[in-house]
Amino acid sequence: MAGRCRLLRFLLPLVLWHGGLGKGILYPRDSESRVVKTLDGMWNFRADNSSTRNQSFVDEWWTKPLSQTGDVIPMPVPSSYNDITTDKSLRDFVGWVWYDRHFYVSKMWQDKRVMLRFGSVNYYAMVWINGQQVMSHEGGHLPFECEVNSVVSFSAVNRVTVAVNNTLTPITIPPGTIHFDSDTKRYPAGYFVQNLQMDFFNYAGIQRSVHLYATQQAYVDDITIITTIQGTNGVVSYSVTEGGTGQGSAFTVIVIIQDRDGNTVSSVSTRLQDTIVIPDARLWWPWTMKPDDPGYMYTLRVNVVSGDVYYQPFGIRTVRVSNTQFFINDQPFYLHGVGRHEDVEIRGRGSDDATIARDFYMKKWLGVNGFRTAVYPFAEELMDQADRQGFVVVDETPGVGITQPDNFSPVGLSHHKAVMGELYQRDKNRPSVIMWSIANEPTSNTAQGEAYFKDLIAHTRDLDESKRPITFFCNKDYDTDRVAQFVDVILINRYLGWYSDVGHTEVIQLQLSDDLENWHAKFNKPLVVSEYGADTLPGLHREPSFIFTEEYQTDFMKEYFRTFDKYRSQFLVGEMIWCFADFITAQQLNRVVGNHKGVLTRERQPKASAHLLRERYLSLVNSTRTN
Ligand code: BDP
């Protein structure tokens, strides 16, 4: 218990610190005035294995090169540190790990504003440069950055040190607990485990790219773009936030819109906020609605007269819902998608372009027209491809497993709001994002859940001026749920024939039909079956089908398909199989090296179910085609 208090006492103060809120977090793009350099590569790494997990702070590891504090090992950035080595204790490590590396900042950057930006560090991060703390951030999967001019040297080598802690507590998003066993007859001294309230491995480390970039001193801090359509015109309302000029100083901009080929298609605006009409605009469409011209992206070029230039991509599209339908650009849209995780072998959740590319090829092959970022925000580079290739995204916070009474505290809620704010800030200009999901399978059938999520949903509505629909993934029943009343589209996760009536595919149509009809009758909102799936080990066969075999997964899916087809023309606006590919979970008896509900293996190769899903989805491709 004493150990527990020490560990938590050290962590809790960080919970109140948030990065990024209210400030721009534009992706680091180069331009004729901006330079971006990556700090990706091999860093030095050391875990704080002390029993308190706190010795590194006592010994102030940030004050010198990590290699001078003890033995370091090489660790690739970006990657999760868990599966890189053969060390079991590092795979399952809970507490502080440390990274450092050297870097130079060019003398040519001396007059610029120099920024250090992390795409994602899971879960807590503290960052020092040359021994001085520059920032901290709580929450994985979202970017944070700060200006580093005052701490870097432009004439000597610099050192960046990062401390990362993956401890989850009842008020982190997602929540978790640390459990200590002090019975020394049964457990070694200091034994503790982290209990997760989620069905995926808590990969940790510096999981996305680290960038160093330079802008002019007066710079574009943020851009918000909202689009509407009038006849054949695209109406683009933008707002630019200035940075670095100080109050009252002049900040003059020249704003134009460029098409995909770089041609200017608008008049020039010199306002920080304006509305520009693009005649005969090319709209952003999901690839299945417009196979010949999916994902059309324009660019808003903002040129601060004193020098800074930023290119912000955006698409022109609208989304709205009725009681029975989902519309994109005022055309009915049916989501035939997948839920998915981001993890892969060895790198864990470390982002890489090869996997991003492969996953989109496989989605296209499957006929998938959209996906959900289960259950945390995905890499910005991945989201860029969704924009450009025309896939829709249900963009989700890491709010998974909010199920225990102490997960609903005011501190937890305010952190959840902050995380939603950071997600909005990062993804607000993405046409691919058609809905925000605030949570997965929370306790949504209690007064506590109702109050918490009512507040969070209202907060999210206030954030998004473009009024994207808001939702969450619900596993409660229509007659007990108390949160669906606040959302725009109802998403239900259902495992009929798997977690209930296992092996009995014959109950699926009956039970799912009854369920869907009741939800719609009660709430009169469009519905998506947002998770359904059966664990399947590739190569395992049995006829007639038996659970865990490839035959069972396909038999099971066919029953869902029949029900979907019955309600597709009524109020069902989407289906998302769980899931795209197998993924790793914590070690538990119902998981044989992870969750195997993928239609693809973790290596992204098809199971029999992938061929069945593909046949269905490709036949659905034409159902919402516009040309
Ligand atoms: C659902 C959860 C998802 C799990 C899935 C499963 O939302 O995170 O992975 O169950 O058990 O309830 O496969």
Side-chain angles (χ1 to χ4, degrees):
M1 204 56 195
R4 173 175 196 232
C5 292
R6 269 200 300 278
L7 185 71
L8 296 186
R9 198 177 314 127
F10 193 76
L11 290 172
L12 286 176
L14 295 179
V15 170
L16 301 171
W17 303 357
H18 304 300
L21 246 199
K23 265 189 79 346
I25 190 76
L26 297 175
Y27 190 76
R29 297 177 201 285
D30 56 10
S31 70
E32 52 268 53
S33 79
R34 292 187 173 212
V35 200
V36 181
K37 108 178 202 179
T38 166
L39 294 186
D40 291 353
M42 216 51 106
W43 290 47
N44 304 307
F45 179 92
R46 188 177 174 205
D48 179 346
N49 282 303
S50 62
S51 58
T52 59
R53 293 290 193 267
N54 201 23
Q55 196 58 38
S56 47
F57 284 89
V58 174
D59 294 344
E60 304 187 337
W61 285 7
W62 63 90
T63 56
K64 49 188 167 208
L66 209 48
S67 59
Q68 290 176 20
T69 67
D71 290 340
V72 293
I73 58 171
M75 188 58 70
V77 169
S79 76
S80 309
Y81 60 73
N82 310 78
D83 289 345
I84 300 285
T85 75
T86 54
D87 180 353
K88 185 175 164 195
S89 68
L90 182 56
R91 183 192 65 203
D92 299 333
F93 186 82
V94 180
W96 291 102
V97 298
W98 292 73
Y99 292 75
D100 86 353
R101 65 161 284 165
H102 288 120
F103 64 100
Y104 287 93
V105 189
S106 164
K107 274 193 175 147
M108 289 185 293
W109 288 17
Q110 203 141 12
D111 299 328
K112 313 257 188 208
R113 165 180 168 262
V114 182
M115 300 292 293
L116 176 65
R117 186 187 199 267
F118 290 80
S120 153
V121 178
N122 195 28
Y123 180 85
Y124 302 90
M126 297 174 79
V127 183
W128 293 260
I129 290 186
N130 300 328
Q132 290 192 50
Q133 192 184 343
V134 290
M135 58 181 153
S136 61
H137 184 257
E138 184 196 356
H141 312 106
L142 287 165
F144 56 97
E145 64 178 6
C146 74
E147 187 181 329
V148 295
N149 289 65
S150 60
V151 287
V152 293
S153 166
F154 295 89
S155 54
V157 70
N158 294 286
R159 184 181 73 251
V160 54
T161 310
V162 185
V164 183
N165 196 316
N166 60 348
T167 308
L168 300 180
T169 75
I171 52 171
T172 55
I173 306 289
T177 53
I178 301 286
H179 176 75
F180 285 80
D181 279 294
S182 52
D183 177 355
T184 51
K185 286 197 189 123
R186 301 181 62 221
Y187 297 97
Y191 181 89
F192 71 90
V193 291
Q194 170 150 285
N195 291 324
L196 304 178
Q197 294 168 207
M198 60 205 201
D199 184 42
F200 56 99
F201 193 84
N202 189 28
Y203 278 119
I206 305 178
Q207 302 192 127
R208 293 183 191 145
S209 285
V210 184
H211 290 112
L212 198 66
Y213 68 96
T215 73
Q216 306 291 326
Q217 292 295 350
Y219 59 92
V220 176
D221 178 57
D222 195 18
I223 298 172
T224 308
I225 300 172
I226 291 172
T227 61
T228 53
I229 302 163
Q230 279 171 2
T232 58
N233 295 341
V235 182
V236 181
S237 300
Y238 71 82
S239 155
V240 174
T241 309
E242 62 184 275
T245 44
Q247 274 190 338
S249 318
F251 187 85
T252 318
V253 290
I254 299 171
V255 180
I256 54 161
I257 293 172
Q258 298 176 332
D259 67 12
R260 194 158 56 190
D261 302 319
N263 305 312
T264 302
V265 293
S266 70
S267 50
V268 172
S269 175
T270 54
R271 299 202 177 144
L272 290 181
Q273 290 183 13
D274 209 348
T275 297
I276 297 180
V277 175
I278 304 181
D280 295 322
R282 283 169 81 173
L283 305 184
W284 185 95
W285 291 101
W287 73 270
T288 48
M289 290 179 88
K290 199 151 186 140
D292 304 330
D293 194 16
Y296 193 87
M297 297 292 283
Y298 288 93
T299 303
L300 192 82
R301 180 182 189 274
V302 183
N303 182 358
V304 183
V305 172
S306 58
D308 191 36
V309 180
Y310 191 80
Y311 292 89
Q312 176 61 51
F314 70 97
I316 298 175
R317 67 106 188 81
T318 59
V319 291
R320 71 178 172 88
V321 299
S322 69
N323 296 340
T324 54
Q325 282 187 298
F326 196 104
F327 297 91
I328 295 185
N329 300 338
D330 280 330
Q331 302 282 328
F333 173 72
Y334 184 76
L335 172 60
H336 36 98
V338 284
R340 55 162 302 193
H341 276 281
E342 241 184 340
D343 73 333
V344 285
E345 279 297 323
I346 302 174
R347 282 185 298 274
R349 271 203 294 281
S351 182
D352 78 292
D353 287 344
T355 309
I356 290 173
R358 170 71 180 178
D359 284 355
F360 278 100
Y361 284 118
M362 289 312 284
K363 281 184 211 144
K364 204 87 181 243
W365 180 81
L366 284 166
V368 162
N369 64 359
F371 60 95
R372 152 201 188 191
T373 70
V375 252
Y376 39 79
F378 284 8
E380 289 160 279
E381 296 79 6
L382 186 157
M383 298 294 283
D384 284 347
Q385 291 304 311
D387 282 337
R388 291 183 186 283
Q389 297 191 36
F391 285 81
V392 308
V393 178
V394 181
D395 207 2
E396 193 162 2
T397 76
V400 52
I402 302 179
T403 53
Q404 304 305 309
D406 56 358
N407 302 154
F408 291 87
S409 71
V411 184
L413 175 59
S414 94
H415 176 44
H416 203 155
K417 286 182 182 173
V419 169
M420 186 58 230
E422 290 180 36
L423 176 62
Y424 167 74
Q425 190 72 336
R426 192 193 76 161
D427 287 348
K428 62 187 170 185
N429 295 324
R430 296 188 180 282
S432 59
V433 175
I434 56 156
M435 272 200 273
W436 304 111
S437 163
I438 50 158
N440 180 56
E441 299 189 348
T443 303
S444 56
N445 54 356
T446 58
Q448 204 180 26
E450 179 178 343
Y452 181 104
F453 288 105
K454 183 180 180 190
D455 197 345
L456 182 60
I457 290 168
H459 171 77
T460 308
R461 282 198 201 291
D462 285 349
L463 287 171
D464 190 358
E465 285 170 57
S466 81
K467 303 290 165 225
R468 287 177 181 89
I470 298 170
T471 192
F472 74 105
F473 291 76
C474 179
N475 66 347
K476 298 291 177 271
D477 294 327
Y478 67 90
D479 52 350
T480 55
D481 181 86
R482 300 170 70 146
V483 180
Q485 58 177 317
F486 305 119
V487 305
D488 303 297
V489 182
I490 296 176
L491 270 56
I492 54 171
N493 293 353
R494 290 297 182 263
Y495 287 89
L496 314 166
W498 189 258
Y499 289 125
S500 59
D501 301 301
V502 62
H504 290 279
T505 51
E506 69 275 22
V507 306
I508 293 170
Q509 289 193 53
L510 196 69
Q511 294 184 5
L512 188 58
S513 299
D514 180 64
D515 198 16
L516 287 170
E517 281 175 20
N518 277 309
W519 274 100
H520 191 255
K522 180 161 179 195
F523 292 99
N524 198 24
K525 294 181 184 186
L527 267 117
V528 175
V529 175
S530 46
E531 276 192 30
Y532 67 101
D535 279 86
T536 305
L537 298 179
L540 199 59
H541 294 285
R542 191 147 288 213
E543 191 57 51
S545 71
F546 208 87
I547 60 167
F548 293 111
T549 65
E550 298 207 36
E551 286 77 11
Y552 189 79
Q553 194 181 26
T554 50
D555 280 358
F556 170 97
M557 286 161 65
K558 283 177 197 159
E559 298 299 314
Y560 281 84
F561 292 172
R562 289 185 188 115
T563 318
F564 297 156
D565 283 337
K566 190 161 143 206
Y567 294 99
R568 219 154 42 82
S569 53
Q570 301 183 38
F571 48 77
L572 188 73
V573 298
E575 57 191 84
M576 274 192 282
I577 195 164
W578 188 252
C579 58
F580 174 63
D582 293 351
F583 58 93
I584 292 295
T585 61
Q587 300 188 62
Q588 53 198 78
L589 289 173
N590 64 345
R591 297 284 181 256
V592 187
V593 192
N595 186 311
H596 290 277
K597 294 193 184 70
V599 295
L600 306 181
T601 63
R602 202 170 181 226
E603 294 73 32
R604 278 40 175 191
Q605 298 299 342
K607 300 178 189 172
S609 54
H611 295 278
L612 178 70
L613 190 72
R614 175 169 195 254
E615 193 184 302
R616 171 176 178 75
Y617 279 9
L618 288 181
S619 77
L620 286 173
V621 165
N622 286 331
S623 68
T624 53
R625 196 175 165 140
T626 61
N627 64 348

